[in-house]
Amino acid sequence: RLSNHSAEPYVDINPVDAKHYQLEQGMLVSVDSVEGSAVVRVSINDAQQRGTLFAPMHWNEQFASSGCINCAISAKCDPISGQPEFKQSAVNISPYKTEWYGFLLSRRELQDQFENGLSSYWSRSRGMDIWRYQLAGDIGVESWSDSARKILCSHEIDVGWIEYFDPASKQYRAARMVDGKLESCLYIGPDHQLPNHEWIEPLFAKDVINSEERIALLSGKPAFETDDVGPVVCACHGVGKKQIIEAIENRKASTVEELGELLNAGTNCGSCVPEIRALVNGNIYLANS
């Protein structure tokens, strides 16, 4: 549930600052200081004060290759308590230059496969019976077909395999089947505008992937229209941003408390209440979300 709420290290930036630094929603950025740097996903949010950035300090090398924002923060500590100064540091932000972006969904944990230098950036999070990997590389890959098999198939031969590659658009998609079940899939593109993978995750719960769903996996679009709830805001109850916005815009709810009664959002641990309140107040930047 926590992985669903925040599946990747990120940095919040005001829309005015994002425009100045030529940043787009969802792209990878490098946050640099005299102390060090971190690579994270950018989140454009007009609740963020201009001239400042916010990034959560909890990500480490176990779940992201370079998402530890503490690497860019001064190592000063209070001389009495020893408390580190995690709160502030002067930084620069810029687009992270890549040759490709990608994401991978797998029933198996595939951490060792990314230590061969294929991707210069990776992050991972746990889903319902699957692992999610966000990927990017600063070096082009000669053959995605060969690389995908090395990542997903290892030494196994007797597996179902489907793939699609468009050299003109540099789009590659592949899926691995075991006994008719979806075992893993890989999507690659030249930029951060990749297919939405929220509709793919429920396919891992199916006993057999039919022909329409196999075609959908390669096309990057669901076989049938599905409800797009948007990014998860309330991880405890699986409530998405678009569900909350729809409830507000249709005047079904106008307060945090009414949204809790209608959708259960924010009624358990309460960690999402500030974000829900910001949505109620119209303070979240929604373009490209």
Side-chain angles (χ1 to χ4, degrees), residues 236-256:
C236 295
H237 294 290
V239 183
K241 180 184 287 187
K242 290 186 178 180
Q243 287 177 288
I244 296 172
I245 293 172
E246 182 183 359
I248 296 170
E249 290 180 343
N250 293 337
R251 302 186 183 280
K252 296 178 181 178
S254 59
T255 67
V256 173

Side-chain angles (χ1 to χ4, degrees), residues 65-161:
S65 59
S66 51
C68 181
I69 199 65
N70 293 339
C71 294
I73 304 298
S74 170
K76 295 178 182 178
C77 293
D78 182 89
I80 305 301
S81 68
Q83 172 70 26
E85 188 184 41
F86 283 148
K87 300 301 181 184
Q88 60 184 351
S89 186
V91 299
N92 183 52
I93 187 170
S94 60
Y96 179 66
K97 296 181 179 180
T98 66
E99 288 291 324
W100 55 270
Y101 277 77
F103 71 81
L104 188 158
L105 306 176
S106 173
R107 294 180 186 273
R108 297 168 295 152
E109 189 175 2
L110 298 170
Q111 195 60 30
D112 293 341
Q113 278 83 333
F114 303 118
E115 295 178 355
N116 59 7
L118 175 67
S119 58
S120 56
Y121 169 88
W122 60 262
S123 69
R124 63 173 178 157
S125 63
R126 196 76 170 96
M128 187 64 69
D129 298 323
I130 64 168
W131 285 93
R132 308 184 195 95
Y133 293 88
Q134 298 291 338
L135 310 169
D138 54 13
I139 299 176
V141 175
E142 183 176 349
S143 172
W144 272 114
S145 184
D146 292 342
S147 296
R149 283 172 168 79
K150 289 179 181 177
I151 295 171
L152 300 183
C153 292
S154 186
H155 299 296
E156 300 175 28
I157 299 176
D158 189 19
V159 297
W161 183 263

